[in-house]
Amino acid sequence: MRILVTGGAGYIGSHTVKELVAAGHYVVALDNLSRGRRAAVRQAKFVRADLADQKLITELLRAEKIEAVMHFAASSLVGESMQHPAAYYQNNVVNGLHLLESMRQAKTPYLVFSSTAAVYGEPTETPIPEEHPTIPTNPYGATKLALEGALAWYSRAYGLKYISLRYFNAAGADPEGDLGEDHDPETHLIPLVLKAALGQLPAVKIFGRDYPTPDGTCIRDYIHVTDLARAHLLALKALADGKEPAVYNLGNGNGYSVLEVVQTAEKVVGRTLPKIFTGRRPGDPAVLVASAAKIKRDLKWEPLYSDLPTIIETAWRWHKKHPQGYPKERKIT
Ligand code: UFG
């Protein structure tokens, strides 16, 4: 199939591009490189553009005869979204609507959308099923939920075929070592722990030890980025086979506390790491664990790298080999 991947130079987008190309698809990776890394896109055609440029996107869909879009391009930091909701509505909702309009004009039938566990807000049950109430507690979750709503109405009115994937905590790196996680700023737990292991940070900060969990630290459901990427291919195949639009959680269904993550990382890197306990990070729910039963049942998705040591090992291999992340692009003046 001919596929446009927005945000194709980002962490999850680039891993998905790799899987798509390996499966024989023709891929155009689009990214404005505000957060993405040009060096993360290897075998696919790369277009540097912004979704705000709707005319360009429509022309690209037509010129490349795109049949499906995977939409990763978005702002995705909870804390940042609390400070800059306007930017999140602009990038995630307004630009998302531009993309839907371009697809409508170019008659592109299929969309796989990157959604998030943040649409649920504070969980009322664990593991969280897709039917759980969606009451986001931050603009990031609210903007992803807003676009999910638009997808449902576009589907009903214009026949858009879509699958929305609600990611829990994406982690790890390409098991072949080609790709990894390189955010600036980095806010995610596993890369920060590994940066501490590389001596780039003085200590691992642990946000809160008074949560109602067995060891007092937050519990999350970590899913390997390649397993996440593979789910996108299954979603696309299901759509092409005539599946009705749907929403799926993507997690492993296993929760690990922050302390368990740090202790597992210590085993992987072979030494203990300095730790500092600090206060809670605002907006962090105590426990976020997915029920992944629906995607396993409907799409026959099964994780290949579900255990935490493997997830952290793949990340560690990449961080050791790329301590400064991807080679930085030359400044464009
Ligand atoms: N944490 C620390 N120290 C750090 C960084 C994180 O203790 O230096 C803790 C956090 O408080 C949290 C856990 O580690 O309990 C995981 O934090 P991450 O920042 O790695 O991930 P989040 O759970 O905050 O974010 C994920 C996704 C978001 C999504 C969110 C839903 O990355 O896209 O879940 O709440 F919105």
Side-chain angles (χ1 to χ4, degrees):
M1 218 183 263
R2 301 177 70 84
I3 302 166
L4 176 73
V5 178
T6 76
Y11 170 47
I12 304 172
S14 60
H15 283 78
T16 307
V17 167
K18 180 174 173 172
E19 294 297 311
L20 287 168
V21 171
H25 295 289
Y26 172 76
V27 178
V28 179
L30 180 130
D31 205 295
N32 66 6
L33 297 183
S34 63
R35 293 268 160 94
R37 302 278 182 254
R38 177 65 186 87
V41 182
R42 308 280 165 79
Q43 296 104 332
K45 175 166 176 176
F46 180 75
V47 175
R48 183 174 185 173
D50 198 291
L51 289 178
D53 193 345
Q54 200 197 319
K55 193 159 163 272
L56 180 149
I57 306 294
T58 310
E59 281 164 10
L60 184 68
L61 291 173
R62 288 196 175 122
E64 292 283 1
K65 300 187 170 47
I66 296 295
E67 300 163 275
V69 175
M70 295 200 175
H71 179 37
F72 296 91
S75 302
S76 63
L77 299 177
V78 170
E80 186 183 66
S81 79
M82 299 289 282
Q83 287 173 329
H84 304 290
Y88 274 68
Y89 275 88
Q90 191 65 39
N91 198 24
N92 296 358
V93 180
V94 176
N95 286 346
L97 290 173
H98 282 158
L99 176 65
L100 294 188
E101 273 306 285
S102 292
M103 290 179 66
R104 191 158 77 95
Q105 286 165 19
K107 301 189 168 44
T108 311
Y110 305 123
L111 176 72
V112 182
F113 175 57
S114 299
S115 189
T116 170
V119 299
Y120 295 114
E122 194 65 48
T124 54
E125 64 178 296
T126 295
I128 302 174
E130 287 80 356
E131 303 73 36
H132 185 284
T134 46
I135 309 172
T137 52
N138 53 65
Y140 171 55
T143 55
K144 287 287 183 175
L145 188 62
L147 204 65
E148 277 197 8
L151 298 184
W153 292 111
Y154 265 66
S155 171
R156 192 178 158 142
Y158 312 126
L160 174 72
K161 308 274 185 225
Y162 76 93
I163 285 181
S164 185
L165 298 174
R166 294 175 175 167
Y167 312 156
F168 282 65
N169 286 60
D174 170 33
E176 291 173 0
D178 292 337
L179 304 168
E181 186 167 10
D182 177 13
H183 292 119
D184 186 16
E186 188 53 78
T187 62
H188 294 108
L189 177 64
I190 292 176
L192 286 172
V193 172
L194 298 179
K195 278 176 188 287
L198 285 170
Q200 296 175 355
L201 292 175
V204 178
K205 275 193 198 159
I206 297 176
F207 297 144
R209 62 190 313 183
D210 58 350
Y211 285 98
T213 60
D215 67 20
T217 66
C218 286
I219 292 177
R220 293 288 180 273
D221 183 342
Y222 295 88
I223 169 169
H224 193 281
V225 64
T226 299
D227 284 330
L228 239 162
R230 289 173 47 251
H232 290 72
L233 274 74
L234 293 175
L236 184 60
K237 185 174 178 308
L239 289 174
D241 289 346
K243 164 132 196 47
E244 287 304 307
V247 174
Y248 293 109
N249 284 339
L250 256 181
N252 279 311
N254 304 318
Y256 293 96
S257 73
V258 173
L259 268 178
E260 284 172 326
V261 170
V262 177
Q263 283 156 2
T264 307
E266 288 178 330
K267 283 195 194 119
V268 169
V269 306
R271 66 188 179 87
T272 54
L273 300 171
K275 298 173 238 351
I276 304 172
F277 287 90
T278 66
R280 292 183 178 196
R281 189 171 65 176
D284 276 343
V287 180
L288 275 180
V289 177
S291 163
K294 187 177 170 195
I295 192 164
K296 288 183 174 178
R297 185 192 65 216
D298 286 7
L299 303 190
K300 310 284 175 257
W301 174 79
E302 281 298 332
L304 294 177
Y305 312 99
S306 61
D307 65 305
L308 190 61
T310 308
I311 292 175
I312 296 179
E313 264 162 37
T314 59
W316 179 231
R317 250 182 276 146
W318 197 83
H319 279 273
K320 258 192 312 192
K321 213 169 145 206
H322 305 86
Q324 305 305 327
Y326 287 107
K328 297 293 174 279
E329 292 80 35
R330 276 185 300 129
K331 277 241 169 350
I332 298 164
T333 49

